[in-house]
Amino acid sequence: LYASSGNKIDQLMAELEPLLASDPEKAAAAAIQQRRADWAPRFQELTGLCEAGQTADAYKLRNENKVLSAEMHAAATQLVTRQKNALEEAKSDSEAAMLTAKWIALLIASLCAILSTTLFIASRREIGKMRSIVEDLQQGADEITNASHQVAATSQTQARGSSEQAASIEETSSSTEEIDR
């Protein structure tokens, strides 16, 4: 039973050792391993004394081993306490980081919403201005078209008038020639 328990302690300490971050945790782990190393030969001696029937010496050695066991237990308790504290601190830091991340995400989402709204409003205004400019240009084009039609109509009227005048002058010229002859 002792060998099995000792092997389990050695295995657990080997798994735990790379995870220890602080010097006090490492010192507690070293204390556990040292007490374990000190206790192992003493257990063998205790077993030998019991088998030899030397109960008084065995009882005395057992009491000394209890001190080593108590020191190993105290170091283990200290290590567990430090690990719990580290875990609570990590949990607290994690929760704080998560809360900060949520606030940052909310802030970014809010800024995006504000920016989108602002861009939407600005683009609607610009579209309205462009629509007004296009309407003004269309109105100007319509006025130019109407003016062009009026100029064309006036030009045709003048051309007709010029043709009539030319015909009239030609008639007058013909009449003048007839008079002159």
Side-chain angles (χ1 to χ4, degrees):
L1 182 64
Y2 168 74
S4 173
S5 296
N7 289 338
K8 185 68 173 175
I9 290 170
D10 292 341
Q11 179 188 359
L12 291 173
M13 291 306 296
E15 291 174 8
L16 182 63
E17 197 166 348
L19 303 175
L20 302 176
S22 70
D23 289 337
E25 290 173 346
K26 291 175 183 177
I32 292 169
Q33 290 171 332
Q34 182 61 47
R35 298 307 176 276
R36 161 93 170 94
D38 292 345
W39 205 80
R42 296 170 72 95
F43 181 77
Q44 295 300 326
E45 185 181 345
L46 179 64
T47 303
L49 289 171
C50 288
E51 287 173 357
Q54 298 174 351
T55 55
D57 289 336
Y59 188 72
K60 181 180 171 191
L61 186 57
R62 183 181 133 297
N63 288 339
E64 290 173 9
N65 283 350
K66 278 186 171 183
V67 172
L68 288 175
S69 293
E71 290 172 355
M72 193 168 25
H73 183 268
T77 301
Q78 180 184 14
L79 186 58
V80 167
T81 300
R82 289 192 178 277
Q83 287 294 306
K84 281 183 180 179
N85 290 343
L87 182 61
E88 285 299 319
E89 185 178 319
K91 180 182 174 186
S92 176
D93 290 348
S94 174
E95 288 173 352
M98 190 169 52
L99 182 62
T100 300
K102 283 181 181 179
W103 278 109
I104 288 172
L106 181 62
L107 177 64
I108 290 172
S110 298
L111 289 174
C112 287
I114 290 169
L115 182 61
S116 297
T117 303
T118 302
L119 289 174
F120 178 75
I121 291 170
S123 65
R124 296 283 285 171
R125 284 184 187 156
E126 291 304 313
I127 289 171
K129 287 178 185 178
M130 282 193 230
R131 184 175 289 136
S132 176
I133 290 170
V134 167
E135 287 172 358
D136 289 347
L137 288 174
Q138 183 65 42
Q139 184 179 2
D142 290 345
E143 289 175 6
I144 289 172
T145 300
N146 289 338
S148 300
H149 289 305
Q150 287 177 357
V151 167
T154 302
S155 294
Q156 285 178 349
T157 302
Q158 284 180 344
R160 254 187 258 125
S162 293
S163 290
E164 287 175 8
Q165 206 172 23
S168 197
I169 289 174
E170 196 174 305
E171 229 177 85
T172 303
S173 177
S174 280
S175 296
T176 308
E177 264 180 33
E178 275 184 32
I179 292 180
D180 279 340
R181 290 188 198 172

